[in-house]
């Protein structure tokens, strides 16, 4: 079926039929999946940090290369230039990674300001490059009281806005102060088992999508806009 027979609104040059062959043609990376982990608290005994480190051990055990960003010293958005060392460090890690884990405490029914500050410093675009587009994301939260999902729900919204491939599973650890030993290791529980599930799923989705990400997030509307831009540039140069 031709684009013209589907709708006169379609730009036939920009319209593409999704093809399994295009996915199969993607190269297969051999390096370890690169995962960046962010957590949302500066407390000395931060349960979001402890959960992040527990998840990092799991990911490393599954074969990932893991880096954890320390948000201490990161300025508020717009309160410092983008050349600030902590901003540069964060942005370089975002470029480096193929997947991310965001873990926030829930405070006043929402993610923390520390968590949001890190996300706000991640640019939606850098020239022609979208540093988060097509990368995988897992979301987790820790709760001071009963189990809630407010923070992970907000993190999902942000992940979608930043065009991350957010995995279906998630973790919410209730009464987190009861779930960790004095040495910071997580106790055996159904909460721990869920963290294993989430990291396993993140690894699977990252392996599945990282090489095909440019094709998966390629959009008709953007191809159409780029074609129009190039056409206008050509006319200007004539």
């Amino acid at each position: 079926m031709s684009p013209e027979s589907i709708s006169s609104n379609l730009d036939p040059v920009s319209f593409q039929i999704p093809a399994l062959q295009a996915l199969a043609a993607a190269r297969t990376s051999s390096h370890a999946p690169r995962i960046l982990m962010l957590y949302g608290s500066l407390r000395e005994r931060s349960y979001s940090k402890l959960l992040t480190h527990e998840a990092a051990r799991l990911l490393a055990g599954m074969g990932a290369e893991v880096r954890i960003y320390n948000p201490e010293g990161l300025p508020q958005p717009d309160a410092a230039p983008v050349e600030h060392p902590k901003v540069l460090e964060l942005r370089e890690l975002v470029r480096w990674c193929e997947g991310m884990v965001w873990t926030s405490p829930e405070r006043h029914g929402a993610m923390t300001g520390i968590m949001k500050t890190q996300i706000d410093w991640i640019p939606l675009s850098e020239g022609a490059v979208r540093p988060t587009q097509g990368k995988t994301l897992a979301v987790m939260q820790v709760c001071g009281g009963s189990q809630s999902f407010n923070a992970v729900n907000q993190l999902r919204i942000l992940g979608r806005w930043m065009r991350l491939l957010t995995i279906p599973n998630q973790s919410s650890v209730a009464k987190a102060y009861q779930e960790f030993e004095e040495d910071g290791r997580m106790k055996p529980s159904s909460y721990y088992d869920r963290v294993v599930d989430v990291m396993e799923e993140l690894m699977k989705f990252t392996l599945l999508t990282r090489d095909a990400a440019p094709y998966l997030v390629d959009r008709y509307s953007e191809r159409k806009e780029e074609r129009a831009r190039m056409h206008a540039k050509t006319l200007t140069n004539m």
Side-chain angles (χ1 to χ4, degrees):
M1 185 179 294
S2 67
E4 292 84 354
S5 64
I6 298 172
S7 173
S8 59
N9 293 329
L10 281 174
D11 173 15
V13 177
S14 303
F15 181 73
Q16 296 178 3
I17 299 173
L20 185 60
Q21 293 86 346
L23 291 170
R27 66 181 178 86
T28 302
S29 295
S30 58
H31 63 271
R34 300 191 292 257
I35 307 297
L36 169 62
M37 311 191 78
L38 308 180
Y39 59 90
S41 173
L42 299 179
R43 292 175 57 193
E44 183 176 350
R45 185 171 171 83
S46 161
Y47 296 110
S48 63
K49 181 179 179 180
L50 294 180
L51 183 59
T52 293
H53 279 272
E54 198 68 49
R57 295 184 189 97
L58 291 166
L59 287 168
M62 295 175 190
E65 182 182 355
V66 181
R67 297 184 186 178
I68 301 173
Y69 178 75
N70 180 355
E72 187 171 1
L74 181 68
Q76 288 291 308
D78 304 323
V82 295
E83 293 80 14
H84 188 284
K86 291 298 292 186
V87 176
L88 291 176
E89 178 190 357
L90 175 61
R91 292 188 172 192
E92 181 56 36
L93 286 171
V94 171
R95 295 186 201 101
W96 166 84
C97 75
E98 297 167 326
M100 287 192 274
V101 181
W102 294 350
T103 305
S104 179
E106 182 173 316
R107 184 170 296 164
H108 301 311
M111 77 179 78
T112 61
I114 299 298
M115 191 78 238
K116 186 62 162 56
T117 293
Q118 294 173 83
I119 297 170
D120 283 347
W121 271 118
I122 300 172
L124 289 174
S125 64
E126 293 179 315
V129 178
R130 295 176 185 265
T132 54
Q133 177 173 273
K135 298 181 180 186
T136 53
L137 172 67
V139 295
M140 302 194 295
Q141 74 171 74
V142 292
C143 310
S146 58
Q147 191 176 47
S148 171
F149 300 95
N150 291 322
V152 288
N153 288 339
Q154 290 181 326
L155 292 172
R156 283 189 176 278
I157 291 171
L158 289 171
R160 183 171 70 245
W161 183 260
M162 300 177 79
R163 295 172 69 169
L164 289 154
L165 303 176
T166 309
I167 67 170
N169 213 340
Q170 62 187 24
S171 169
S172 174
V173 179
K175 298 181 180 178
Y177 58 88
Q178 296 180 350
E179 299 302 321
F180 293 88
E181 304 285 1
E182 285 302 312
D183 64 1
R185 296 304 302 270
M186 195 171 184
K187 298 176 182 178
S189 69
S190 60
Y191 294 127
Y192 177 80
D193 292 346
R194 174 58 69 89
V195 176
V196 179
D197 289 346
V198 174
M199 295 306 107
E200 183 179 70
E201 188 171 289
L202 176 66
M203 281 289 287
K204 291 176 180 178
F205 272 78
T206 303
L207 290 168
L208 179 67
T209 63
R210 63 176 178 173
D211 293 316
Y215 179 69
L216 291 172
V217 297
D218 184 42
R219 295 182 175 185
Y220 163 78
S221 60
E222 293 179 349
R223 293 193 300 271
K224 183 179 176 182
E225 289 171 3
E226 177 62 14
R227 181 167 172 266
R229 188 184 69 82
M230 294 302 296
H231 180 67
K233 184 178 179 180
T234 300
L235 293 177
T236 301
N237 294 333
M238 289 179 63

